[in-house]
């Protein structure tokens, strides 16, 4: 299995809803990432998990809450989002060897719309 | 400042023709460079990855080159197909411990027409 899967593919939510995005990989990668991508822009890093521990938080608002239950799963919990949070949310994973990481494999993304 | 610049910003070519996309970077210390293809609304798909010691890497009709001295890379697409229409993103990785941060180029939007 050489892919990163994400669910759901599309999500529409109101500003008072609570929802979660899920990401899964079975490549044995020990680094996992969340990115946010607006149309015609490059992905923006949000969070990085290394060995299931949060290693990078790019000053993301607390209405986004990441969780890494195990080495294969990565969640992004959403609460009280704003319309400007509408975007494509990408999950990625990469190997970690001797503390060095390699190129990242991306999932297909979740298209989020906040009404 | 770590930057990745791509050119051209957009490109239109006829089906069957070849094209070359450029990427210049200032990211240091350099770990690897990847070219990704991204269809609209979809996640990026890796085409090639090159480390410091590699000069060229091919994947079917895609051939990437890397000059680590001048910090330049190119992606050559041969015999283009309509399905090649997408955004092509150059991504450079720094040497770090733990999960790394990537520097993304702004992409080249390629359109292949009949």
């Amino acid at each position: 299995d050489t892919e990163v899967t994400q669910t759901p593919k599309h999500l529409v939510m109101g500003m008072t809803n609570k929802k979660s995005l899920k990401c899964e990989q079975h490549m044995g990668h020990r680094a996992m990432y969340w990115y946010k991508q607006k149309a015609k822009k490059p992905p923006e890093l949000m969070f990085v998990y290394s060995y299931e521990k949060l290693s990078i938080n790019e000053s993301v608002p607390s209405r986004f809450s990441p969780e890494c239950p195990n080495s294969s799963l990565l969640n992004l919990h959403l609460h009280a989002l704003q319309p400007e949070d509408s975007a494509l949310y990408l999950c990625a994973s990469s190997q970690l060897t001797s503390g060095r990481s390699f190129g990242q494999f991306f999932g297909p993304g979740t298209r989020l719309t906040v009404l | 400042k770590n930057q990745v610049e791509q050119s051209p910003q957009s490109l239109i070519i006829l089906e069957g023709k070849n094209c070359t996309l450029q990427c210049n970077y200032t990211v240091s210390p350099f770990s690897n460079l990847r070219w990704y293809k991204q269809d609209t609304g979809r996640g990026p798909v890796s085409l090639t990855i090159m480390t410091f010691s590699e000069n060229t890497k091919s994947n079917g009709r895609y051939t990437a080159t890397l000059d680590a001295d001048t910090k330049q890379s190119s992606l050559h697409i041969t015999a283009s197909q309509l399905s090649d229409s997408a955004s092509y993103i150059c991504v450079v990785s720094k040497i770090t411990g733990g999960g790394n941060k990537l520097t993304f180029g702004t992409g080249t939007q390629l359109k292949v027409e009949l």
Side-chain angles (χ1 to χ4, degrees):
Chain A
D1 189 353
T2 57
E3 66 174 359
V4 177
T5 59
Q6 289 186 243
T7 56
K9 290 184 179 180
H10 303 277
L11 178 62
V12 179
M13 59 186 291
M15 289 190 285
T16 58
N17 293 156
K18 286 185 180 181
K19 297 287 184 182
S20 296
L21 309 184
K22 297 185 182 302
C23 174
E24 189 168 3
Q25 57 86 17
H26 295 287
M27 295 179 278
H29 291 172
R30 300 306 296 277
M32 296 186 76
Y33 311 76
W34 279 115
Y35 290 87
K36 173 183 177 181
Q37 187 177 26
K38 293 286 216 179
K40 300 188 186 301
K41 298 287 187 182
E44 298 174 10
L45 183 66
M46 299 174 72
F47 303 103
V48 182
Y49 274 82
S50 304
Y51 302 106
E52 296 84 71
K53 295 190 187 306
L54 184 65
S55 57
I56 295 176
N57 176 343
E58 290 289 333
S59 301
V60 179
S62 60
R63 58 186 184 268
F64 295 92
S65 176
E67 177 196 20
C68 190
N70 60 57
S71 61
S72 299
L73 295 174
L74 185 66
N75 299 322
L76 186 63
H77 303 296
L78 314 172
H79 174 56
L81 294 193
Q82 304 297 311
E84 59 265 29
D85 296 323
S86 299
L88 180 68
Y89 287 83
L90 295 166
C91 174
S93 69
S94 70
Q95 289 178 310
L96 280 174
T97 302
S98 300
R100 291 183 58 181
S101 60
F102 296 83
Q104 297 176 14
F105 290 80
F106 284 85
T110 293
R111 171 65 64 187
L112 174 67
T113 302
V114 182
L115 300 176
Chain B
K1 182 179 179 182
N2 293 314
Q3 287 186 315
V4 178
E5 296 182 352
Q6 291 186 242
S7 62
Q9 186 174 17
S10 62
L11 181 62
I12 301 174
I13 61 174
L14 295 177
E15 186 181 29
K17 298 296 185 183
N18 304 335
C19 66
T20 300
L21 315 180
Q22 301 291 342
C23 173
N24 296 335
Y25 64 92
T26 59
V27 175
S28 181
F30 174 86
S31 175
N32 60 70
L33 183 149
R34 272 196 188 226
W35 283 93
Y36 287 90
K37 176 186 178 186
Q38 186 174 23
D39 294 309
T40 302
R42 302 288 293 173
V45 175
S46 179
L47 298 175
T48 62
I49 179 171
M50 287 183 292
T51 58
F52 184 87
S53 59
E54 296 175 295
N55 299 119
T56 185
K57 186 73 70 77
S58 291
N59 177 6
R61 295 181 296 105
Y62 301 103
T63 299
T65 65
L66 174 65
D67 186 334
D69 292 329
T70 61
K71 297 187 177 180
Q72 295 179 325
S73 177
S74 67
L75 180 69
H76 187 73
I77 305 174
T78 59
S80 61
Q81 301 175 358
L82 296 178
S83 59
D84 292 334
S85 297
S87 178
Y88 290 83
I89 308 172
C90 175
V91 183
V92 181
S93 173
K94 289 180 65 171
I95 295 177
T96 66
N100 69 315
K101 292 174 63 173
L102 306 180
T103 303
F104 289 79
T106 52
T108 292
Q109 191 66 43
L110 174 66
K111 185 174 183 181
V112 180
E113 296 182 336
L114 289 171

